Amino acid sequence: MRQSQKTEQKADHLRMIDLENQKQSEARSAASGENTNKNGISFKEIVLNRTNLNLAYQRVYRNKGAQGIDGMTVYELFDYIKENKTQLIESLSNLTYKPKPVRRVEIPKPDGSKRKLGVPTVVDRLVQQAIAQAMTPVFENVFSDNSFGFRPNRSAHDAIKRVTEFYDQGYHFVIDLDLKSYFDTVNHDLLMKFIRQYINDEWLLRMIRKFLTSGVMDGQLFQKSEKGTPQGGNLSPILANIYLNELDKLLVSRGHKFVRYADDCNIYVKSKRAGYRVLESISKFLEKDLKLTINRKKTKVGSPLRLKFLGFSLGMSAKGVYIRPSGQAKKRVKQSLKLMTKRNRGRSLDVLFKEIHQKMIGWLNYYGIGSMKTFIKDLDEWLRSRIRQYIWKSWKKVKTRIRNLVKLGMTKNQARIFANTRKGYWRTAHSKTLSYTLTNRKLESLGLINMSKKLESIQNA
């Protein structure tokens, strides 16, 4: 905590540090949203502007993240900049700056496969963020209104709400496109061509190319990066959107209804036959023109009531269409809670309840726009039973059970009888005795989240 407070003070102090060259003192901030083609200011001036660099630093610091191959943490970045700002700015200005390879990290996906991430060094993240901030105002004027991922003031909730609008308009079939290893297969030359359509600034284009070709360190093995824009870098989101904006433009020109969130793209049509026809046409464009690969096994044509998008599906009632968490999302969260409440994890109740709270606050905030009161009510009851079982198992000895049951209001004789029960743990957890002693209110007072109450507060906010 002491280190965090100290770093936050340094983040504020950074605003006073002269990061830009004196010749760039009149450069405008990227936050102004002006296009350099109109006002004559180069992207180098915008990227290296003091305000822009300070905003980039603050963003990188807030996001924390792991260190890159040099081992430098976000907490050490301030001191590094203070000591090396002149050399850093000069190397960026004259294009001698050389990004370090990203550190390869693999994280498990829900289907059992692994997602490859590339972790840049914190200095590279700072520079990438500064470039992304400069590019964003230009491309926000270009991107489709049906693109929602990695964009300011847009979210997955906005995307799924757009889906319900299309369904209400009669588009009851969806083409659920799945691109195989999208971030790892982006063609560098095509990407640079697409950027050049809107920004013809040689300094910026060369800087972007440097990051694209910086390579990957997989353990001790260096790998050239001849294609792809690795997930994990601050530039990757906007570059990924620029690349797939070409798909968006095609869909718009053909009058298709679609919603795209990063590489998750759903196209909405009025019949299954139309779905397969559009899929065939779009697949040719993606594979031939964009040099991407369609995952034929995962790409489907079907109903939004059955298929999932961003973790949600649609439902139908007498009142019309509504949003709900997908069956898979419900199954995963229950499985996650089940693993958390295994007795052999050796967690105290305090630690366990904090873990559950952290997990479920995030889950409920994301899925809270969906209809799921009954599911959460049932999940609450199931989780309380899991906790009662967890507590009962922790009272291993009969003496311990008797002592704790007496504390919870039972007579010593009643406690002695119940403590010697031969029922299994799960059956005991559902017994009236534990329900009347380890009450819902008691568990909540100990720190167990009441998910039904939390959901209600989220939906009424």
Side-chain angles (χ1 to χ4, degrees), residues 240-256:
N241 271 335
I242 291 169
Y243 202 83
L244 283 180
N245 187 54
E246 299 303 306
L247 170 63
D248 297 348
K249 291 194 298 190
L250 179 71
L251 293 173
V252 170
S253 69
R254 294 182 180 180
H256 290 308

Side-chain angles (χ1 to χ4, degrees), residues 167 172 174 302-307 313-316 321-322 324:
Y167 196 90
H172 293 175
V174 60
S303 169
L305 303 178
R306 294 185 179 88
L307 298 180
S313 295
L314 300 185
M316 280 296 295
V321 67
Y322 62 90
R324 59 190 174 91

Side-chain angles (χ1 to χ4, degrees), residues 395-410:
W395 298 344
K396 295 178 181 179
K397 297 180 179 179
V398 173
K399 283 184 180 181
T400 307
R401 292 173 180 174
I402 293 172
R403 184 174 66 252
N404 285 307
L405 288 171
V406 170
K407 285 181 182 179
L408 290 168
M410 293 186 73

Side-chain angles (χ1 to χ4, degrees), residues 389 418 422-432 434:
Q389 175 185 244
F418 189 75
R422 294 185 178 182
K423 294 177 181 177
Y425 291 121
W426 187 240
R427 192 174 171 190
T428 302
H430 288 83
S431 67
K432 287 183 178 180
L434 285 191

